[in-house]
Amino acid sequence: MVTTSDGSSTKLGHALAKVFRIKLYYRNPTGKDDLTRGESVFSVSSADTYVEEEPTVSEWLREVTPTGRQCLLYFWNLFPFLHWIGRYNGQWLFGDLVAGITVGAVVVPQGMAYATLAGLAPQFGLYSSFMGVLVYWLFATSKDITIGPVAVMSTITGNIVAQVAVINPTIPAHVVASALAVICGAIICFIGLIRAGWIVDFIPLAAISAFMTGSALNIACGQIPTMLGQSGFSTRDATYLVIIHTLQYLPKCKIDAAMGLTALFLLYVIRYACAYGARRFPSKRKLFFFAQTLRTVFVLLLYTMISWLVNRDHRTKPTFKILSTVPRGFQYAAVPVINKTIISSFAAQIPASVIVLLIEHIAISKSFGRVNNYTINPSQELVGIGVTNLLGPFLGAYPATGSFSRTAINSKAGVRTPLGGVITALVVLLAIYALTAVFFYIPSASLSAVIIHAVLDLITPPNTVYQFWRISPLEVIIFFAGVLVTVFSSIENGIYTTICVSIAVLLFRVVKAKGRFLGRVKVHSVIGDRLVNNDGKLGEGYGSISTDHDSSMRNIFLPIEHDDGSNPQIDVESPYPGIYIFRFSEGYNYPNANHYLDYMVATIFAETRRTNPDTYPKLGDRPWNDPGPRRGQPAADHSDRPTLKAIILDFSSVNNVDITSVQHLIDVRNQLDAYTTPHRVDWHMACINNRWTKRALASAGFGFPSPDDLALTRWKPIFSVAEIGGSSSAAAEAESRDIERDLKRRLTEADVEAARNEKKIGGDAISRQRDSRSESSEGGEFDKDLGTTKAYARQSAKVAVVHGLNRPLFHIDLTSALQSAITNVERRGELEVKGVGTGPN
C-alpha cells in the first residue's frame, strides 16, 4: 500500500502496531511522544531549549546509500593516474627514468632467480616482472612500490606446482602457476572493488614479522644446497629437515660451491664497502647508493663472464650448473587454462596465497607511504594487485606482488610518480628480447647466492624483537610461535598460526575486558613553581595550594585501585556514599557485557548493604543462593556500609551497543532495584558518543527518571550549558569583523571621520539589539531562558543546553553526572526526612 502523506503513513503504522500488539513507546516514562520525554518536568517551548531527536532507519539508509556524486567519484578513483598525469613534467620524468632503469637492472636477475624458486624456467620470472610494473601504475596510489616476483610468493607457488605435479603430472608447471595467479587476482580484485581493504588490518605487525622471518629462513635454507651444488634430497621439505640434509651432504659439495659462496661473499663486501664509503664521504653518497644498488647486476655479470670462459667449449656438459637456454620473447603468451581439475588441485592453498599477496604488498606500501609523506588507499592497491595478476598470465606470468627490496631501491633512487614502472617494464622488455643469449651462462649457484642475499634482509632484527617485547610481551610469543611453525612445518601453516592466534588474543581481550570503578581527585596544573588557572593564566605558587584555589582546581576521575599506573599515594575519594562510577574499558557489546556487569554487581554487593534489612523476615523467604547465617548464629552486621543509591556509567570508550548488552543492563537494573527496594537506583550515563547508543539506552528506559518516582516530584534536573551568543562570543566577534570589513569597503578618504562615528553608532545599535533579543525570552521555573539565568554574570550572553532536555540522565561528562547524582540523592533524603515519598519510589 502506498501512502500519500506522512499522516496517513503514521495512522497505518499505529493501526498495525495495535494489531500485532507492538508497544510503540516501550518503557516511555511519560507515555507521550518519545521526542519530548520528560516534558512534564521541562519546558520545550523556549527558543534556547534543545530536544535531541533520535536517529531513524531512514536516516541511516540515507547516510550509507551512495549519492550520484559518490558513484562518479568511485569510478574516478579507480584510475588514480588521471589525478596527476595531466601535470606530468620534465623534472618528474627525469626522476622516473633514473629510478626505472635502476629497478629494471635489479628486477631482471631477481626475476629469473625467483622463477627457479617457483619451480619454473627463468623466463617466467621475466614475464611476471614485465607485467607487474607495466599494469600496476594505472591503479597505483603509491609511487614507490614495484610489483613483480617475490621470494615468498615464488616459494609458495613452487610448493603448489610440486604438489600438483604429484597429483596430476600431465599439467605443465607454468599452467598451474598462471591459473593460480588468475584465481588469486580475481579474489583480490573483488575485495578491492567492494572497498574492503580494511580486512588487511586484522593481520597485526607481529604476525607479518613472523611470516617474513620464517619465510626468509625457509627460503635461505632451501637455497643453500643449490649454492653448494648438493643434490639427492628435496629442498622443499620443512626447514629443519633441509638443514639436516644439507649438513649430511656436505661431503658431496661440487665446484658450484665456489661460484655460490664467493658470489655471496662479494655481495656483502660491496654492500658494506658502499655503506662505509657513504658515511666516510657524504658528498658522494648518491654515487655509493647506485653502486650498492647495482651490486647484484655487477656480481652476476662477473660470474657470467667467468662461466662463459669456463664453459664456452663444452656448453652441453658445463663444469657447474648454469641456466642454459632462455627463450627470446613471449613464447608462452596464451589464454590461461583454468578448469575444475586445475583449481581443485590447489584449492587448499588459495587462502594462504591470497594472504601472502595481500599482506606483503599492503605492509610495504603503507610503510613507504609514511616515510615519503603520502597516504595509500588499501582497497585501490588491492585492485592494482588483482588486475596485475589477472592480466599477467596472458603473457605467461605467475603470481606477483610488491617487493620490499626493489621498492626500497625505487624510493631511494628518487622515483617521482608510479609511471616509473613503465620505464622498468621497458628495461625488462629489452632483456627479454636482447639479452637472453647472455643469460645462458649464468651460474645457478650464483643465482642462489643472490636469493639468499635478498631474503636475509627480511629477517626481523633482534633489536626489533626486543622492542616488540617492551611494547607487548604476549605478541612476541606469537611471533616466535609463527617462526617455529614455519621452520618445523611450512610457510602456509606459519601464516595460519600467527593470524589465528592473534585474532584469538584480540577476542580474549574483548571478552575479558575489565571495567574500573572511579573515584574523584582534585588536581591543579603547575608550570615551574606557579599554579595555572583554568583560564590558562599563571596564578600563585603551588606551595600555597588549598581548597580555596577554585580558579586553578579541577576534578579528575582515577581508578580507585590505581591499576592505571597513577601514583598510589594519591588518595582517591569515593564519589559519594552509595554512588558508584563505573568505566567500560574496551567497548560494551555482547561478548563482554556479562563479564563487565558481573564484576560491577559483585563489587557493589561487597561494599553496600540492602536498603531494607527486613526483606526476608522468615528463613524460608530467603533464596537458595543467599541462605543467610547458620542456625544459631547472628547475621553479619553491615550497618557501616552505605546503601546503593546511584550508578554512573562512563561510555567514553563505547561506540555501539547491541540488544544483548542492553538487555544485560536491564536485567542488572531490575536486580539492583530489588536489592534497594523500596527505593530505586538512579542510572546516569556519561560521555555517550553515538546517537544510536543513546537511542538504544533510551528505548530500554535509561536517560530519564523512573515513571514511578513520586510522579517526578523529587527530581532536580541538572544540565550542561554553553554560550552561543553575547558580546564576547566567537559568533559575535565574527559578525563584528564582517560589519567592520563591509564599512571599510564603503569608506572614502574624504569622510573617514564621519565613517568612524557611523561605525560607533552601528556598534551600539547592534549591542542593544542583542541585549533586547536575550531579554525577550519567556520565563517560568525551568522554562526561563537559559541565557538570562542569574548563574551567568554576563546578562548579554546567550546560552543553551549541550544535550537534549528529553534525556536528563545523559550527561556530557563525569563531573555533571556526579553533580546530578549527588543533588538528587540529597533531594531524596530531604523528602524522606519531611515524610514525603516513604512508599516505593
Side-chain angles (χ1 to χ4, degrees):
M1 178 178 179
V2 180
T3 59
T4 57
S5 67
D6 293 340
S8 58
S9 176
T10 303
K11 291 180 181 179
L12 176 61
H14 288 184
L16 290 175
K18 289 183 178 179
V19 172
F20 292 104
R21 298 182 179 180
I22 298 175
K23 298 180 181 179
L24 294 178
Y25 306 115
Y26 182 53
R27 295 190 179 95
N28 188 342
T30 64
K32 299 183 179 181
D33 193 310
D34 58 344
L35 189 61
T36 58
R37 286 182 179 138
E39 66 178 355
S40 58
V41 183
F42 315 115
S43 170
V44 293
S45 61
S46 172
D48 296 319
T49 57
Y50 169 63
V51 176
E52 183 176 352
E53 296 185 7
E54 291 184 346
T56 62
V57 175
S58 59
E59 178 184 341
W60 177 80
L61 290 175
R62 286 195 299 270
E63 290 177 356
V64 299
T65 303
T67 63
R69 175 177 174 79
Q70 290 173 330
C71 292
L72 291 176
L73 284 175
Y74 171 83
F75 290 103
W76 169 254
N77 291 329
L78 279 179
F79 302 96
F81 78 95
L82 296 175
H83 303 175
W84 52 266
I85 194 67
R87 299 174 179 83
Y88 201 79
N89 54 66
Q91 190 172 351
W92 289 2
L93 175 62
F94 178 77
D96 290 343
L97 276 172
V98 173
I101 293 173
T102 304
V103 174
V106 175
V107 75
V108 169
Q110 276 193 356
M112 292 189 294
Y114 291 154
T116 62
L117 283 178
L120 303 172
Q123 62 266 24
F124 292 100
L126 297 176
Y127 303 156
S128 298
S129 302
F130 173 75
M131 287 301 295
V133 291
L134 180 65
V135 175
Y136 170 72
W137 78 276
L138 296 170
F139 307 93
T141 60
S142 168
K143 72 177 181 66
D144 299 298
I145 201 163
T146 62
I147 289 185
V150 295
V152 180
M153 192 63 228
S154 297
T155 301
I156 292 177
T157 302
N159 295 338
I160 294 173
V161 167
Q163 176 185 325
V164 175
V166 174
I167 300 173
N168 196 336
T170 60
I171 303 177
H174 72 275
V175 172
V176 175
S178 296
L180 177 66
V182 171
I183 298 300
C184 292
I187 294 172
I188 295 173
C189 187
F190 174 75
I191 296 173
L193 289 174
I194 64 173
R195 293 310 193 226
W198 48 264
I199 196 173
V200 183
D201 295 334
F202 281 97
I203 305 174
L205 179 59
I208 296 174
S209 300
F211 149 71
M212 299 298 288
T213 300
S215 301
L217 293 173
N218 180 287
I219 295 167
C221 293
Q223 288 300 303
I224 290 176
T226 305
M227 185 177 66
L228 299 178
Q230 296 174 337
S231 59
F233 61 92
S234 175
T235 58
R236 298 192 181 276
D237 290 336
T239 305
Y240 79 99
L241 290 176
V242 175
I243 295 174
I244 293 173
H245 292 153
T246 301
L247 295 175
Q248 290 174 342
Y249 279 75
L250 278 178
K252 298 183 179 180
C253 292
K254 300 178 182 177
I255 191 65
D256 299 68
M259 303 298 291
L261 290 173
T262 56
L264 183 61
F265 175 76
L266 187 57
L267 285 169
Y268 277 106
V269 167
I270 297 175
R271 174 179 178 175
Y272 290 119
C274 291
Y276 173 78
R279 293 193 302 269
R280 184 71 175 79
F281 305 101
S283 59
K284 299 182 179 179
R285 182 173 298 174
K286 201 73 173 178
L287 176 64
F288 284 112
F289 162 73
F290 283 107
Q292 183 180 13
T293 298
L294 298 176
R295 65 187 183 276
T296 301
V297 179
F298 170 74
V299 169
L300 279 183
L301 286 176
L302 174 63
Y303 281 82
T304 300
M305 182 183 299
I306 295 173
S307 175
W308 175 74
L309 294 173
V310 173
N311 297 310
R312 60 179 177 175
D313 295 328
H314 37 86
R315 289 165 53 99
T316 56
K317 292 183 179 182
T319 305
F320 41 81
K321 188 177 180 181
I322 58 178
L323 283 186
S324 298
T325 303
V326 176
R328 180 173 179 269
F330 296 96
Q331 300 293 326
Y332 294 87
V335 177
V337 178
I338 302 175
N339 53 48
K340 182 178 179 181
T341 302
I342 296 176
I343 295 176
S344 60
S345 62
F346 59 73
Q349 280 71 39
I350 290 177
S353 302
V354 171
I355 291 173
V356 171
L357 291 173
L358 289 178
I359 62 178
E360 202 165 355
H361 181 94
I362 298 300
I364 295 169
S365 56
K366 281 186 176 180
S367 175
F368 280 90
R370 296 187 188 101
V371 169
N372 294 314
N373 196 28
Y374 62 86
T375 303
I376 67 152
N377 183 339
S379 296
Q380 184 59 31
E381 289 297 310
L382 297 189
V383 173
I385 305 173
V387 174
T388 297
N389 284 285
L390 280 171
L391 298 180
F394 286 88
L395 293 182
Y398 69 93
T401 188
S403 166
F404 180 82
S405 60
R406 296 195 297 273
T407 299
I409 292 171
N410 202 29
S411 177
K412 291 180 180 179
V415 68
R416 302 302 300 272
T417 70
L419 195 62
V422 177
I423 309 301
T424 301
L426 294 176
V427 174
V428 176
L429 188 65
L430 176 66
I432 291 173
Y433 279 96
L435 301 178
T436 52
V438 178
F439 299 153
F440 181 91
Y441 291 101
I442 295 178
S444 297
S446 300
L447 270 184
S448 294
V450 169
I451 296 173
I452 294 172
H453 180 68
V455 299
L456 287 181
D457 289 337
L458 302 179
I459 296 177
T460 305
N463 181 61
T464 303
V465 177
Y466 173 72
Q467 297 302 325
F468 288 172
W469 176 264
R470 295 285 299 170
I471 296 170
S472 176
L474 182 59
E475 290 189 271
V476 174
I477 297 175
I478 297 174
F479 168 82
F480 281 113
V483 173
L484 291 175
V485 170
T486 302
V487 169
F488 288 95
S489 180
S490 64
I491 295 176
E492 294 88 341
N493 291 338
I495 294 171
Y496 295 144
T497 299
T498 53
I499 292 176
C500 292
V501 174
S502 297
I503 293 176
V505 170
L506 173 64
L507 292 177
F508 179 82
R509 286 173 172 169
V510 171
V511 172
K512 291 297 182 180
K514 184 180 179 181
R516 291 188 174 98
F517 284 94
L518 306 181
R520 180 170 54 181
V521 177
K522 297 179 180 179
V523 300
H524 304 261
S525 297
V526 298
I527 295 180
D529 60 347
R530 304 290 296 279
L531 290 173
V532 180
N533 296 331
N534 291 331
D535 58 3
K537 297 179 180 179
L538 293 179
E540 302 177 14
Y542 66 79
S544 60
I545 289 178
S546 69
T547 56
D548 298 332
H549 289 87
D550 291 335
S551 61
S552 64
M553 182 183 68
R554 67 184 190 278
N555 290 325
I556 64 170
F557 297 87
L558 297 177
I560 293 177
E561 298 178 355
H562 288 286
D563 53 357
D564 64 335
S566 56
N567 190 345
Q569 296 179 352
I570 301 297
D571 184 20
V572 180
E573 302 175 1
S574 176
Y576 189 88
I579 296 179
Y580 289 86
I581 303 177
F582 186 77
R583 171 178 291 167
F584 300 110
S585 59
E586 294 265 0
Y588 179 65
N589 296 98
Y590 70 91
N592 55 24
N594 193 62
H595 185 72
Y596 272 132
L597 299 184
D598 282 352
Y599 169 69
M600 185 184 76
V601 171
T603 303
I604 290 174
F605 282 172
E607 297 181 1
T608 60
R609 60 180 172 85
R610 285 186 177 275
T611 303
N612 183 7
D614 300 324
T615 303
Y616 306 121
K618 298 180 181 179
L619 182 62
D621 295 336
R622 302 188 72 93
W624 67 273
N625 60 334
D626 185 16
R630 293 182 179 274
R631 292 183 182 273
Q633 295 183 358
D637 182 16
H638 297 314
S639 58
D640 59 325
R641 297 180 182 178
T643 58
L644 177 62
K645 298 178 178 64
I647 295 175
I648 301 172
L649 296 181
D650 183 358
F651 276 77
S652 57
S653 63
V654 178
N655 188 39
N656 292 291
V657 294
D658 48 54
I659 295 174
T660 305
S661 58
V662 173
Q663 185 60 47
H664 276 297
L665 273 179
I666 295 171
D667 295 341
V668 169
R669 178 179 62 186
N670 296 336
Q671 180 185 10
L672 295 180
D673 282 346
Y675 179 70
T676 60
T677 187
H679 299 302
R680 290 180 180 271
V681 180
D682 297 334
W683 290 79
H684 299 259
M685 313 294 180
C687 307
I688 304 177
N689 304 312
N690 186 294
R691 293 175 62 211
W692 285 94
T693 300
K694 292 181 181 179
R695 166 176 159 155
L697 293 172
S699 299
F702 297 98
F704 30 75
S706 170
D708 300 328
D709 208 352
L710 291 178
L712 306 175
T713 55
R714 72 166 179 82
W715 194 256
K716 297 182 68 175
I718 294 180
F719 294 94
S720 297
V721 297
E723 183 177 338
I724 60 173
S727 59
S728 62
S729 67
E733 290 180 3
E735 183 181 2
S736 178
R737 285 196 300 269
D738 291 341
I739 293 175
E740 184 177 0
R741 192 181 301 113
D742 184 61
L743 289 174
K744 286 182 177 180
R745 191 167 46 248
R746 291 180 294 169
L747 292 179
T748 60
E749 294 182 359
D751 55 358
V752 172
E753 191 64 32
R756 288 178 181 173
N757 295 332
E758 178 186 350
K759 176 181 175 184
K760 180 176 185 302
I761 295 172
D764 293 341
I766 292 170
S767 178
R768 287 194 299 271
Q769 183 180 1
R770 290 200 195 101
D771 292 342
S772 63
R773 190 186 309 136
S774 65
E775 293 172 358
S776 64
S777 307
E778 299 183 5
E781 286 297 326
F782 193 76
D783 313 337
K784 289 183 178 180
D785 182 2
L786 292 171
T788 59
T789 178
K790 295 181 179 180
Y792 285 81
R794 292 197 306 267
Q795 295 296 322
S796 60
K798 190 174 183 181
V799 297
V801 291
V802 178
H803 282 274
L805 298 180
N806 53 327
R807 301 288 184 264
L809 300 189
F810 289 164
H811 304 280
I812 190 172
D813 59 8
L814 288 175
T815 299
S816 61
L818 183 58
Q819 290 172 346
S820 179
I822 293 176
T823 300
N824 287 284
V825 166
E826 292 177 346
R827 172 67 170 169
R828 175 193 297 173
E830 293 173 2
L831 293 176
E832 289 178 354
V833 170
K834 295 177 181 179
V836 181
T838 56
N841 62 337

